Amino acid sequence: MREQTYKGIIQKYKKFLPVSDKTPVITLNEGNTPLIYAGYLSKLTGDNAEVYLKYEGANPTGSFKDRGMTMAISKACEEKAQVVMCASTGNTSASAAAYAARAGIKCIVLIPSGAIALGKLSQALIHGAKVLAIEGNFDVALDLVKEITKLYPIVLVNSLNPYRIEGQKTGSFEICDYLGDAPDFQIMPVGNAGNITAYWKGYKEYQAQGLSTKLPAMLGFQAEGAAPIVRGKPVKDPETIATAIRIGNPASWKSAELARDESGGLIDMVSDEQILEAYKILAEKEGVFAEPASAASIAGLLKLIDKQYFKKSKTNNKFKIVCILTGHGLKDPERAIKTIQAPKVMPADLKTIIKEIGY
Ligand code: F0G
C-alpha cells in the first residue's frame, strides 16, 4: 500500500499546536477541506470581490468540529482520560462520538430533546456514545455538563476546552495557505462562539509568524431568534430552524466580541427566511449543499451585499471574501425536503413522464 501523505491537522500543523512526540494522535485525517470559488456569489458583489466557500462539510464527520475534536480527544488520551462529555446541538456530539470511538474511550452527550438534526443524532448513536436527550435547550445542557465534569473524572470536550480552539484555528491556516495570504473578509455563523474565536486566533498567529501579511475583518452572523451577542443580552428561549446555532448564551461570548472589535468586523443577525433563501441559492447556483446554520454565512453575505458593504476598495484589487460552510447539508435531510417540494409520484409510464418533463 502506498503511504498516505496527508494525516490530519495535527500532523500538518503540529508546530502551531500544543502537542509533543508523546501525544497519541487520534485522527480521521480531518481538515484539508476544499476552498471553492463561488462564481455566482462573486457576481452578486458586482464583481467587487471574489467569494470563496470553505467547505467544512467535507470533514470526516461532516462538520468543522473534527478539527477541534482530533486535538481534544488526543490530549484527553495523553492525559489518560477514560470518559469525555459534551453538550451539543448535534455536530459536536457526532464528532466527539466518532473520535472517542476511535480512541476506545467512552463518550457521553447531552442534547436538547427533539431539537437536533436527524443525521447528527444518527452519528452519535452509531458511534456508540451514551446519548441523553434532556428536556431543556443547549444552554441548559452545557451548564449541566460543566457541573458534571467538575464533579467527576470526565473531560469536557465542548469548545470551552482550549484544545478544541487550538484545533479549529487550523481552518484559517488552510485558507491563508490556499490564497497565499489572509482574505479581506471572513464570514461565518456564530453559535456558542468557539469557532470565531478559533479562526481569529489562527489568523493572528499566522501573521505573527510572517506567513500572512494581513488580517481579515471577522463578520459573524447569528440567527435572529438566537442572537444574544447582537442584542447584547442572553436569549432565554432561542428559536431558529438553524438548530446548530440555536444558542442563547454563548460560552465564548467575550472572545467573539474581541474578534469582532480587534478585526474591525461585525456580528449581525439574519432571519430564518434569509437563511433558507441562502440555503437554496447555495445548493441551486453553486452546487454546494450545506446545512442551514452554515447558510447563515451566505445569508450574511447577501445582507451585506444589499447594504453595499463591499464597495469600498481603495485599490482596484478585488476583495477576497471567505464564507465558512461549517456543516454538510446531509446532516439535516428533513430540512432540505421541507424546503423544496417532495418529488411528484408518477405512474411508471414513458409518455406521462415525457409530458411531465415538458417535451
Ligand atoms: N455551524 C454549525 C454547523 C455548528 O454545528 C455550529 C455549532 C456552529 C456553526 C457555530 O459554531 O458554536 O463555534 O459558534 N455547533 C455546536 C454543536 C454548538 O454542539 O454542534 P460555534
Side-chain angles (χ1 to χ4, degrees):
M1 199 176 81
R2 213 162 52 128
E3 211 200 331
Q4 209 172 350
T5 50
Y6 184 78
K7 291 180 185 157
I9 59 121
I10 295 182
Q11 189 233 33
K12 175 90 193 271
Y13 293 111
K14 57 174 169 278
K15 65 176 186 224
F16 300 93
L17 296 170
V19 291
S20 71
D21 294 344
K22 290 194 199 77
T23 313
V25 177
I26 310 297
T27 180
L28 289 163
N29 298 1
E30 59 296 311
N32 197 23
T33 56
L35 189 68
I36 306 166
Y37 175 70
Y40 179 83
L41 294 171
S42 297
K43 273 219 175 63
L44 292 186
T45 69
D47 279 326
N48 284 324
E50 288 175 3
V51 178
Y52 293 86
L53 309 169
K54 182 66 171 160
Y55 194 37
E56 290 291 280
N59 273 299
T61 78
S63 87
F64 71 95
K65 306 288 180 179
D66 295 346
R67 294 180 186 277
M69 210 52 77
T70 182
M71 274 300 297
I73 300 292
S74 296
K75 293 302 283 188
C77 288
E78 186 176 347
E79 290 151 18
K80 307 279 186 263
Q82 290 298 315
V83 190
V84 296
M85 186 173 191
C86 64
S88 183
T89 56
N91 282 323
T92 299
S93 64
S95 186
Y99 282 82
R102 200 160 173 83
I105 60 175
K106 196 170 165 188
C107 178
I108 308 164
V109 305
L110 294 195
I111 52 167
S113 176
I116 83 166
L118 197 64
K120 304 173 188 180
L121 180 60
S122 70
Q123 289 177 288
L125 292 170
I126 199 72
H127 290 302
K130 177 138 190 98
V131 180
L132 303 173
I134 63 150
E135 292 164 340
N137 61 30
F138 170 84
D139 304 293
V140 175
L142 183 58
D143 282 344
L144 285 165
V145 169
K146 282 197 273 185
E147 267 184 62
I148 294 167
T149 52
K150 250 187 232 150
L151 292 172
Y152 295 92
I154 304 176
V155 174
L156 174 148
V157 292
N158 280 101
S159 56
L160 285 165
N161 179 325
Y163 299 124
R164 281 275 314 277
I165 303 294
E166 290 298 314
Q168 284 171 212
K169 75 185 180 189
T170 60
S172 52
F173 297 168
E174 288 178 14
I175 291 170
C176 294
D177 288 348
Y178 185 96
L179 294 177
D181 204 344
D184 301 286
F185 302 94
Q186 182 185 290
I187 312 184
M188 68 199 308
V190 175
N192 212 25
N195 213 26
I196 191 168
T197 304
Y199 268 89
W200 183 235
K201 186 169 197 285
Y203 283 122
K204 286 195 296 187
E205 286 182 10
Y206 238 41
Q207 192 198 35
Q209 294 293 319
L211 294 165
S212 57
T213 69
K214 57 186 177 184
L215 294 168
M218 301 293 284
L219 314 175
F221 283 87
Q222 302 196 292
E224 215 168 70
I229 299 176
V230 183
R231 297 184 193 280
K233 57 173 195 287
V235 174
K236 196 164 171 286
D237 295 308
E239 261 322 327
T240 168
I241 54 99
T243 52
I245 52 172
R246 187 169 166 270
I247 293 173
N249 192 12
S252 301
W253 188 321
K254 285 282 161 290
S255 51
E257 287 183 336
L258 207 66
R260 175 195 66 192
D261 299 341
E262 283 181 358
S263 73
L266 56 83
I267 296 180
D268 196 358
M269 58 189 176
V270 282
S271 67
D272 280 1
E273 237 173 27
Q274 288 171 311
I275 290 173
L276 287 177
E277 185 59 28
Y279 176 63
K280 279 198 285 186
I281 288 175
L282 191 59
E284 288 176 2
K285 303 293 188 191
E286 298 290 2
V288 175
F289 190 22
E291 67 169 283
S294 308
S297 292
I298 306 305
L301 170 74
L302 298 176
K303 184 172 179 178
L304 294 176
I305 289 173
D306 264 0
K307 287 185 169 172
Q308 312 212 327
Y309 183 84
F310 302 109
K311 284 202 169 161
K312 294 175 219 148
S313 175
K314 288 179 210 99
T315 63
N316 272 334
N317 291 338
K318 283 187 187 181
F319 288 133
K320 286 199 169 73
I321 305 172
V322 173
C323 302
I324 312 295
L325 300 180
T326 45
H328 202 290
L330 286 171
K331 291 272 190 176
D332 194 354
E334 288 173 314
R335 178 54 59 189
I337 293 164
K338 261 189 225 158
T339 304
I340 312 293
Q341 274 179 357
K344 199 166 171 180
V345 179
M346 307 242 85
D349 171 67
L350 188 78
K351 271 195 187 143
T352 323
I353 292 169
I354 287 175
K355 192 165 163 237
E356 182 65 28
I357 296 168
Y359 286 110

